[in-house]
């Protein structure tokens, strides 16, 4: 079992680490250059409610890093709003063009109304029939990977699973799905510092245009899918606006694909680096459900979310002023030693494991059940079909301060002797 204790972030030998103010959390490069566990431990202990200056039109933002504060502030949608953005990038630009058109950036009664409409399509009961399909598709892709032996786990396996589930639920034509995965990645993160901000904007517009056309078609010919459900839903007798339909489709394709993918990829890396946990999984000492929760905590694909204060709010020894931006760091809260014993240990039997990978409170992830189904299916397929995982090179990290994940993972997988040779055609 690997137990990691982080050294102070930035410390080399006897040199004291740089002050926390030296770390630019708006710069994705910071997260590639720094040991995140060590950095976040310093934030939690030295400056749990930390003012981070910027050179943007917004003068700065608060960095909230303890589990207790993150949960308290997530819960508070009276004193803090999501309507001016819920991630650092939009909050620092001064607003989100999807405000009050997309669930995640809507508050108050309209949030509850739209959430209720969307929950009808994403409740465990409604999704029950989808679960078997996710397991089947995952097993087929893992079987094909085992036949190949050496592969890129991101592009050959993980990229093809959640997009096809959400694609089926939204009835997105199969031929368009690869394009959507590429746009999703460009919208939420970049492969490297060389990809431009313009690529992000173009990709976002491509997705919106794509769903605007699809929604118009479903309005004319509704089917049994989530886009049709949004396009034909009424609240107080009135249909949703065109913008609400399109922006919520955008958020579903993004939320439905990227985070689940990143968790499964990070889970494979974690098992390859923690042979004792791999053995416990293989031997059935620990349930797949429990391992799934630890993979979600360990990988925390959504590193932060954010809000803007509507009134002055005291937090610890600071006062967050009305108008200030706050950022809630899931990637710190999920490793807070006040809540998680031995937090830097990947422990698939961890109980309790009340991580905040899906957020908390009124905006708690709408797709949490589906996200769990995806990670569960991957953990289960690895457990039953794979005997050995060997990384063939360094994983390629995404360039982002929002999504923690990978764009490439060269790996060699060996099959369990009992696994029948892969056959199944991967549909959809
Ligand atoms: C909200 C993470 C999967 C759709 C959120 C939030 C987090 C999160 C942290 C809270 C945002 C906030 O407080 O501002 C994740 C992770 C996933 C995942 C880690 C997978 C491992 C999914 C899936 C879907 C989805 C599969 C779609 C089917 C959404 C939506 C919201 C949301 C629509 C907004 C909910 C609201 O504002 O009421 N997600 N998500 N997510 N997620 Fe997910």
């Amino acid at each position: 079992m690997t137990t990691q204790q982080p050294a102070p972030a930035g410390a080399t030998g006897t040199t004291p680490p740089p002050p926390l103010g030296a770390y630019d959390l708006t710069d994705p490069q910071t997260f590639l250059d720094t040991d995140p566990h060590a950095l976040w431990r310093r934030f939690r202990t030295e400056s749990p409610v930390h003012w981070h200056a910027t050179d943007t039109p917004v003068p700065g933002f608060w960095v909230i890093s303890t589990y207790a504060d993150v949960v308290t502030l997530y819960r508070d949608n009276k004193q803090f709003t999501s309507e001016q953005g819920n991630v650092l990038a939009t909050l620092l630009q001064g607003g989100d063009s999807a405000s009050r058109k997309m669930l995640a950036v809507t508050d108050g009664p309209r949030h509850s109304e739209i959430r209720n409409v969307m929950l009808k399509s994403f409740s465990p009961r409604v999704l029950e029939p989808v679960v078997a399909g996710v397991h089947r598709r995952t097993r087929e892709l893992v079987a094909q990977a085992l036949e190949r032996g050496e592969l890129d786990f991101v592009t050959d396996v993980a990229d093809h699973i959640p997009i096809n589930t959400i694609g089926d639920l939204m009835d997105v034509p199969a031929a368009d799905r690869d394009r959507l995965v590429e746009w999703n990645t460009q919208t939420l993160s970049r492969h490297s510092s060389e990809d431009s901000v313009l690529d992000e904007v173009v990709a976002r517009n491509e997705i919106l245009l794509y769903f605007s056309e699809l929604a118009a078609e479903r309005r004319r010919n509704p089917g049994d899918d989530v886009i049709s459900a949004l396009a034909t839903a009424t609240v107080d007798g009135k249909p949703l606006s065109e913008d609400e339909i399109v922006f919520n489709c955008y958020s579903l394709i993004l939320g439905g694909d990227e985070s689940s993918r990143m968790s499964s990829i990070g889970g494979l890396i974690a098992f390859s680096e923690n042979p004792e946990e791999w053995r416990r999984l293989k031997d059935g000492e620990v349930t797949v459900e429990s391992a799934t929760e630890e993979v979600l905590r360990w990988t925390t694909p959504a590193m932060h979310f954010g809000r803007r204060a509507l009134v002055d709010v005291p937090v610890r020894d600071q006062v967050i002023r009305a108008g200030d931006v706050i950022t809630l760091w899931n990637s710190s809260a999920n490793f807070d030693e006040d809540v998680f014993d031995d937090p830097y240990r990947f422990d698939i039997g961890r109980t309790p494991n009340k991580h905040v990978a899906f957020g908390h409170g009124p905006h708690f992830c709408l797709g949490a059940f589906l996200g769990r189904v995806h990670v569960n299916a991957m953990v289960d397929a690895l457990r039953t079909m794979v005997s050995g995982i060997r990384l063939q090179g360094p994983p390629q990290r995404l360039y982002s301060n929002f999504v923690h994940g990978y764009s490439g993972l060269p790996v060699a997988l060996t099959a369990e002797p009992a696994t029948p040779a892969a056959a199944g055609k991967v549909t959809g």
Side-chain angles (χ1 to χ4, degrees), residues 74 86 103-104 111 115 122 255-256 259 305 307 357-359 363 365 367:
Y74 260 135
N86 71 338
L103 185 68
H111 174 259
R115 194 170 160 104
F122 288 97
S259 304
F305 273 100
R307 305 285 188 257
F358 292 116
H363 288 279
C365 178

